[in-house]
Amino acid sequence: MRRKLIAGNWKMHGSLADIGTFVDGWGDASKVDADWLVCGPFPYLPELIKRLVPLGIAVGAQDCSAQASGAYTGEVSAQMLADIGVSHVILGHSERRAYHQESDALVLAKVKQALAFGLTPVVCVGETLVQREAGETDAVVVAQLEAIIHALTDAELQQLIFAYEPVWAIGTGLTATPEQAQAVHARLRASLAERSEALAVEMRILYGGSVKAENSAALFAMPDIDGGLVGGASLTAQDFLAIGHSME
Ligand code: PGA
């Protein structure tokens, strides 16, 4: 059975002091039947690994280079992330796609780098409001998913996590209803099943977009929603932990 994953995406937020506050505020998560992950900014990854991994929270990055190594000023390779103990990496987040013109092909190249060094890619897909209103949601997210899965082996696909994040719900306070999200998750899982039934059954598909404790229980109760990718509500231990407790 798929175990829930509650993943935080700190984006470009936080400081060393905030990490200390987060650790001090973290409570008892032992009754929460889920895996935990925090994806932090590059400079804080070593501190996050030192302080969060002992609490049972895995640590991920928010991007990696599509290149293995070399003269790529400003880039951070998957190998470097693996070297310092990072276990996951968010790839293809809509903010990267929008502000850094990341194409499906580039996201795929990054996924391959991540897999080559044993990182678990959390691959994001999602439609804009214009696309949703034009009735294009399924076509957009399936195309984003298929661009990745067609180029990977079944063994590689077993390492992946997907996140459905409607762009219009990110940081806006607008959340897809559980039914809206479930419909897209079911569509994504159907695409995976065309490739392999076993893969579709095993694949974790997270929902992201204004997830908070007030809406997480209803979202995570949907049969094809396997947890959340949480931005704003992952920045404090209290808010983040409350999402886990909402499932009890
Ligand atoms: P949000 O961000 O929870 O603040 O909407 C989610 C994300 O972008 O991953």
Side-chain angles (χ1 to χ4, degrees), residues 9 11 93 165 169-171 209-211 229-232:
N9 173 12
K11 309 193 180 187
H93 190 279
E165 297 206 310
I170 295 176
S210 298
V211 173
L229 183 54
V230 185

Side-chain angles (χ1 to χ4, degrees), residues 80-248:
M80 293 170 184
L81 296 172
D83 192 30
I84 65 165
V86 166
S87 55
H88 294 66
V89 58
I90 297 172
L91 294 173
H93 190 279
S94 62
E95 288 153 15
R96 303 282 325 164
R97 292 179 190 260
Y99 307 145
H100 300 271
Q101 292 75 45
E102 292 201 6
S103 63
D104 288 334
L106 184 68
V107 176
L108 173 62
K110 292 182 174 196
V111 168
K112 288 187 170 173
Q113 279 299 314
L115 290 171
F117 294 99
L119 300 177
T120 299
V122 180
V123 180
C124 301
V125 301
E127 82 287 2
T128 64
L129 188 58
V130 171
Q131 290 166 331
R132 173 162 282 266
E133 288 176 344
E136 295 168 3
T137 298
D138 284 4
V140 168
V141 299
V142 166
Q144 289 172 334
L145 175 108
E146 291 192 340
I148 303 299
I149 69 173
H150 280 166
L152 299 178
T153 65
D154 283 8
E156 287 172 327
L157 286 172
Q158 282 167 8
Q159 312 305 315
L160 255 57
I161 296 169
F162 279 97
Y164 167 55
E165 297 206 310
V167 178
W168 50 271
I170 295 176
T172 57
L174 296 173
T175 319
T177 65
E179 293 73 23
Q180 279 174 322
Q182 165 59 25
V184 178
H185 282 233
R187 182 66 192 82
L188 292 170
R189 205 174 299 284
S191 283
L192 290 165
E194 286 169 23
R195 167 65 178 268
S196 152
E197 282 288 349
L199 192 70
V201 170
E202 292 299 322
M203 182 72 72
R204 290 201 278 194
I205 307 177
L206 312 180
Y207 169 78
S210 298
V211 173
K212 44 188 186 291
E214 292 73 32
N215 57 30
S216 49
L219 285 162
F220 298 175
M222 290 287 140
D224 289 300
I225 300 183
D226 306 313
L229 183 54
V230 185
S234 71
L235 295 174
T236 71
Q238 291 76 7
D239 288 348
F240 198 39
L241 197 53
I243 291 171
H245 287 312
S246 78
M247 291 165 40
E248 284 168 18

